[in-house]
């Protein structure tokens, strides 16, 4: 997960922004109103419009209230009848998208009496190359260009339209395409750590599109609530609120038993971690490959002073878990008591956001200082909101009068549960990057604590995507001897950190460090397993580059270049299970 280490305006910053989200906090009312850019309030569904309509029908009022003309609504209702609202909506979208082009409007008017011709216009499009945002379609020559133009006239960008057609297929309807684009925009809009990009929008078309998005989202939510048999592959995973998994130290007895599938039972035990709010279907796929074990979703804010929402798939027992002692600081002021003197009353944070791979620039912290230094008392609410938004985004803490600063690497180490100076000796940039991609040690140790009674004489560990050794440190701090550790990590910097820790802590076991999981095959695994008798635990967390919420340009799920390495985790785990089964 590569990212800049300074500069608040970088486009390649890697933010695990799902760590600030709660999926169930977004609710919709059937009689809500929406506000569009410019401050104009637009009445949502359930409110009739004051615009004159062709009849007093609620259906007519409903669509007129969405911004369509009465004549257009009457025309669509005449074709489909008042009860077929989906067909009416799709027809209205087609009309409104084409009304700016006289030539295309004439074609629709001529063909609207034949529903087959209209469906052909919507559904039959030929291939064409994708466009960039800067390209303008003036005279569309192919059917696909016409569909892109329709979406552009509705306020979408050419790039959004092209990607939607590529992903959904040429046979997709306009409604399906707008639904796809809206889903992608929703993932971006929910990213509270990134302000939404402000782009000029066509006013009338934009209002109609936003109302349409509201209608679609409400309808999909109602369908989910009313149909509990919907396939998981078609829906986003349900994240618990609060995100405490099967128990946390303050509430340890939420769940102590579960029925694991036969093929999932250990040994060997396995433990896999990744970001909680991944794209649709990702956690369903992960669970399916990992022997149908359901993930345990946990936010590390229940273990330390910083949030870190993660999913963990494992076959470990759930009873007799215990936390690491001493317990880490639980709030910002406990972690950094010297900041209390300078902390303003209007900054109500008690927890930090997820610790990232990059930090804020000095330019930003100076801008914040200048924004509030002219006020003797509390700054205006607008200034407070600006400062708090930046503080939450960049995990800034108060270190002086009107002065904020990013966390130092030593402070990040402490919050994540690593030993002091664990990453010292490598560059500052590498320290932030390595720490930002690591486990939160206290959280992982709580889950692995059940192994202490099971392996009092030590454990053989296969650590995939080891990073800076979060799992190894968790086991060491739990008092579980590390007999043999095969650590696989591509970064030479991270491998040097783990090797240095191994030597400084006087480990008595054997550390074998490798550099590429893709090169770890059955022969090499069998070699190590014959050497010391097999693995007791296979642990790892594959890269989340294509899963994290802010990677909106490369959020390709498990098909992405980096995140597809999950399949290597499964491949290696399955090889270990097969070799151990054969040897037994």
């Amino acid at each position: 997960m590569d990212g800049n280490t300074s500069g608040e305006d970088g486009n390649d910053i890697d933010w695990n922004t799902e760590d600030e989200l709660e999926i169930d906090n977004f609710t919709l009312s059937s009689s809500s109103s929406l506000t569009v850019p410019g401050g104009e309030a637009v009445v949502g569904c359930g409110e009739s419009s004051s615009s004159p309509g062709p009849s007093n029908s609620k259906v007519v009022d409903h669509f007129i209230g969405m911004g369509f003309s009465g004549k257009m609504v009457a025309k669509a209702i005449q074709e489909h009848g008042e009860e077929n609202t989906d067909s009416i909506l799709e027809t209205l979208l087609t009309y409104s998208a084409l009304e700016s082009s006289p030539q295309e409007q004439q074609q629709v008017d001529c063909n609207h009496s034949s529903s087959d011709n209209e469906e052909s216009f919507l559904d039959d499009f030929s291939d064409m190359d994708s466009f960039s945002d800067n390209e303008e379609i003036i005279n569309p020559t192919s059917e696909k260009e016409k569909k892109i133009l329709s979406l552009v006239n509705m306020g979408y960008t050419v790039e959004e339209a092209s990607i939607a057609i590529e992903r959904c297929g040429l046979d997709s309807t306009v409604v399906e395409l707008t639904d796809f684009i809206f889903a992608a925009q929703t993932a971006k809009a929910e990213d509270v750590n990134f302000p939404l990009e402000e782009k000029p929008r066509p006013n009338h078309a934009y209002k109609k599109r936003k109302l349409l998005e509201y209608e679609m989202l409400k309808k999909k939510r109602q369908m989910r609530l009313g149909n509990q048999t919907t396939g998981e592959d078609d829906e986003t995973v349900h994240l618990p609120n609060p995100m405490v998994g099967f128990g946390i130290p303050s509430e340890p007895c939420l769940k102590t038993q579960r029925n694991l599938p036969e093929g999932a039972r250990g040994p060997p035990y396995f433990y896999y971690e990744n970001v909680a709010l991944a794209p649709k279907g990702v956690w369903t796929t992960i669970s399916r490959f990992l022997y149908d074990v359901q993930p345990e979703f946990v936010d590390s804010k229940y273990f330390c002073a910083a949030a870190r929402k993660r999913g963990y798939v494992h076959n470990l027992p759930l009873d007799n878990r215990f936390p690491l002692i001493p317990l880490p600081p639980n709030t910002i002021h406990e972690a950094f008591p010297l900041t209390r003197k300078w902390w303003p009353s209007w900054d109500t944070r008690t927890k930090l956001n997820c610790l990232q791979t990059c930090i804020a620039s000095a330019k930003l912290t100076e801008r914040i200082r200048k924004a509030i230094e002219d006020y003797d008392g509390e700054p205006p609410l607008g200034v407070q909101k600006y400062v708090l938004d930046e503080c939450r985004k960049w995990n800034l803490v108060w270190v002086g009068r009107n002065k904020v600063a990013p966390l130092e690497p030593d402070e990040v180490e402490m919050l994540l549960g690593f030993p002091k100076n664990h990453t010292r000796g490598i560059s500052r940039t590498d320290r932030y990057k390595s720490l930002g991609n690591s486990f939160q040690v206290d959280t992982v140790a709580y889950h692995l604590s059940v192994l202490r009674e099971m392996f009092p004489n030590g454990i053989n560990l296969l650590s995939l995507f080891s990073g800076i050794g979060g799992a190894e440190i968790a086991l060491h701090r739990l008092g579980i001897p590390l007999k043999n550790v095969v650590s696989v990590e591509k970064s030479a910097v991270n491998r040097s950190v783990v090797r240095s820790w191994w030597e400084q802590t006087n480990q008595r076991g054997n550390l074998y460090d490798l550099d590429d999981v893709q090169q770890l095959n059955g022969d090499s695994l069998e070699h190590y397993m014959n050497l010391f008798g097999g693995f007791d635990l296979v642990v790892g967390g594959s890269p989340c580059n294509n899963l994290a919420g802010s990677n909106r340009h490369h959020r390709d799920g498990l098909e992405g270049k980096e995140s597809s390495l999950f399949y290597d985790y499964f491949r290696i785990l399955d090889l270990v299970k097969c070799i151990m089964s054969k040897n037994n």
Side-chain angles (χ1 to χ4, degrees):
M1 296 173 61
D2 294 331
N4 299 329
T5 56
S6 68
E8 66 279 17
D9 300 321
N11 292 327
D12 298 324
I13 293 172
D14 176 25
W15 284 100
N16 298 335
T17 54
E18 79 291 337
D19 292 281
E20 274 294 288
L21 303 176
E22 293 291 351
I23 223 168
D24 291 328
N25 288 347
F26 181 66
T27 58
L28 290 171
S29 169
S30 61
S31 59
S32 299
S33 63
L34 301 178
T35 303
V36 297
E40 181 179 357
V42 183
V43 178
C45 74
E47 300 284 346
S48 61
S49 170
S50 59
S51 304
S55 73
N56 291 327
S57 165
K58 291 184 179 180
V59 177
V60 174
D61 289 343
H62 172 72
F63 287 112
I64 291 177
M66 292 178 65
F68 300 106
S69 69
K71 180 179 179 181
M72 190 183 296
V73 173
K75 188 176 180 180
I77 291 178
Q78 185 178 3
E79 289 184 31
H80 302 288
E82 290 190 0
E83 295 181 356
N84 196 347
T85 55
D86 288 342
S87 298
I88 294 172
L89 182 57
E90 186 169 337
T91 301
L92 291 172
L93 283 171
T94 304
Y95 290 164
S96 62
L98 299 178
E99 64 184 0
S100 61
S101 175
Q103 179 181 356
E104 291 173 5
Q105 182 61 51
Q106 182 179 1
Q107 179 180 349
V108 173
D109 288 341
C110 292
N111 295 338
H112 83 273
S113 59
S114 170
S115 60
D116 292 339
N117 289 343
E118 199 164 283
E119 289 175 4
S120 174
F121 170 76
L122 289 172
D123 299 333
D124 185 18
F125 294 88
S126 58
D127 288 330
M128 61 171 280
D129 293 332
S130 298
F131 293 88
S132 69
D133 277 337
N134 297 325
E135 291 182 285
E136 183 178 0
I137 308 172
I138 301 176
N139 297 311
T141 58
S142 71
E143 293 297 332
K144 185 174 180 181
E145 286 179 340
K146 292 177 183 179
K147 180 168 280 191
I148 291 177
L149 180 61
S150 299
L151 294 169
V152 170
N153 288 337
M154 294 168 66
Y156 298 107
T157 65
V158 174
E159 182 183 24
E160 288 173 330
S162 300
I163 292 175
I165 293 173
E166 179 183 348
R167 294 291 180 87
C168 298
L170 297 176
D171 295 333
S172 302
T173 64
V174 173
V175 171
E176 291 170 335
L177 293 172
T178 55
D179 194 19
F180 173 87
I181 298 173
F182 178 54
Q185 291 178 339
T186 299
K188 175 182 174 182
E190 287 181 337
D191 184 348
V192 298
N193 281 334
F194 270 92
L196 292 176
E197 300 173 11
E198 296 184 2
K199 298 180 180 179
R201 298 283 187 174
N203 50 12
H204 188 62
Y206 178 62
K207 286 189 285 186
K208 283 194 283 191
R209 179 165 68 82
K210 296 308 287 185
L211 285 166
L212 172 66
E213 291 170 353
Y214 172 77
E215 289 286 300
M216 289 179 173
L217 182 58
K218 187 187 71 173
K219 182 183 294 185
K220 291 179 74 175
R221 287 179 61 83
Q222 289 174 342
M223 289 177 62
R224 286 201 292 270
L225 292 174
N227 183 8
Q228 300 299 323
T229 61
T230 302
E232 284 188 85
D233 285 334
D234 298 325
E235 303 296 336
T236 54
V237 67
H238 176 74
L239 298 181
N241 185 9
M243 197 178 292
V244 295
F246 300 140
I248 56 177
S250 59
E251 298 179 46
C253 299
L254 293 181
K255 185 174 182 179
T256 57
Q257 292 183 347
R258 57 175 174 165
N259 294 320
L260 291 173
E262 183 68 28
R265 297 171 186 173
Y269 292 100
F270 63 86
Y271 186 83
Y272 175 82
E273 178 259 16
N274 217 312
V275 295
L277 194 57
K280 181 172 64 177
V282 165
W283 278 108
T284 301
T285 301
I286 291 173
S287 295
R288 186 169 66 247
F289 273 83
L290 295 181
Y291 316 104
D292 293 318
V293 177
Q294 295 304 306
E296 177 178 10
F297 293 108
V298 181
D299 189 341
S300 292
K301 71 180 183 180
Y302 298 106
F303 291 84
C304 67
R308 203 174 193 81
K309 292 181 172 66
R310 295 293 184 267
Y312 304 91
V313 180
H314 61 84
N315 62 346
L316 297 167
L318 304 180
D319 54 339
N320 299 322
R321 288 174 165 180
F322 59 89
L324 289 175
I325 302 297
L327 295 175
N330 196 44
T331 65
I332 296 174
H333 291 324
E334 289 178 6
F336 311 112
L338 296 180
T339 65
R340 189 187 300 268
K341 176 181 178 181
W342 307 109
W343 208 274
S345 60
W346 44 270
D347 186 345
T348 57
R349 290 178 295 159
T350 60
K351 301 278 187 178
L352 294 166
N353 185 17
C354 182
L355 302 173
Q356 308 297 337
T357 59
C358 47
I359 62 170
S361 66
K363 181 180 177 182
L364 173 63
T365 55
E366 176 65 13
R367 190 158 63 238
I368 290 174
R369 184 185 64 79
K370 290 181 177 179
I372 58 178
E373 68 179 357
D374 294 334
Y375 303 98
D376 293 332
E378 293 186 355
L381 292 179
V383 175
Q384 292 181 24
K385 182 180 184 303
Y386 161 73
V387 172
L388 282 176
D389 286 346
E390 297 299 331
C391 287
R392 290 191 180 101
K393 179 195 302 185
W394 295 100
N395 278 326
L396 302 176
V397 294
W398 298 89
V399 295
R401 177 175 170 79
N402 300 331
K403 183 180 179 182
V404 293
L407 297 171
E408 292 296 320
D410 291 345
E411 296 171 327
V412 178
E413 283 178 349
M414 179 266 293
L415 289 167
L416 290 174
F418 287 93
K420 186 175 177 60
N421 296 324
H422 181 66
T423 57
R424 194 169 182 177
I426 64 177
S427 73
R428 185 179 174 88
T429 299
D430 285 336
R431 292 186 76 182
Y432 283 117
K433 180 179 177 181
S434 298
L435 288 163
N437 289 327
S438 70
F439 287 154
Q440 204 289 321
V441 173
D442 298 273
T443 308
V444 172
Y446 185 68
H447 297 157
L448 300 181
S449 62
V450 297
L451 297 173
R452 191 168 74 177
E453 290 187 2
M454 302 168 64
F455 299 98
N457 297 321
I459 195 169
N460 291 330
L461 172 68
L462 174 56
S463 179
L464 305 176
F465 316 102
S466 294
I468 53 176
E472 291 88 329
I473 292 171
L475 292 167
H476 173 69
R477 291 188 59 192
L478 287 167
I480 302 174
L482 298 171
K483 294 194 299 184
N484 295 281
V485 175
V486 176
S487 172
V488 189
E489 168 58 40
K490 197 168 187 65
S491 167
V493 169
N494 289 345
R495 292 200 304 273
S496 70
V497 170
V498 174
R499 174 64 68 177
S500 177
W501 170 82
W502 186 271
E503 294 170 352
Q504 290 174 9
T505 52
N506 298 316
Q507 297 292 327
R508 297 181 179 179
N510 302 304
L511 174 63
Y512 308 90
D513 45 11
L514 309 177
D515 64 356
D516 192 352
V517 294
Q518 294 179 300
Q519 301 301 318
L520 189 59
N521 55 30
D523 290 339
S524 54
L525 284 170
E526 196 157 14
H527 164 73
Y528 287 114
M529 295 168 73
N530 289 335
L531 190 63
F532 45 76
F535 293 105
D536 304 307
L537 174 66
V538 180
V539 66
S542 56
C544 63
N545 298 54
N546 311 115
L547 305 181
S550 66
N551 287 311
R552 52 192 181 276
H553 300 301
H554 307 285
R555 201 166 184 253
D556 302 324
L558 293 176
E559 284 67 49
K561 179 181 177 182
E562 289 83 10
S563 292
S564 62
L565 292 171
F566 157 73
Y567 297 108
D568 283 288
Y569 176 89
F570 164 72
R571 173 184 63 83
I572 293 168
L573 172 61
D574 209 45
L575 280 172
V576 170
K577 290 172 69 71
C578 290
I579 294 171
M580 289 183 66
S581 176
K582 181 181 68 174
N583 291 343
N584 290 338

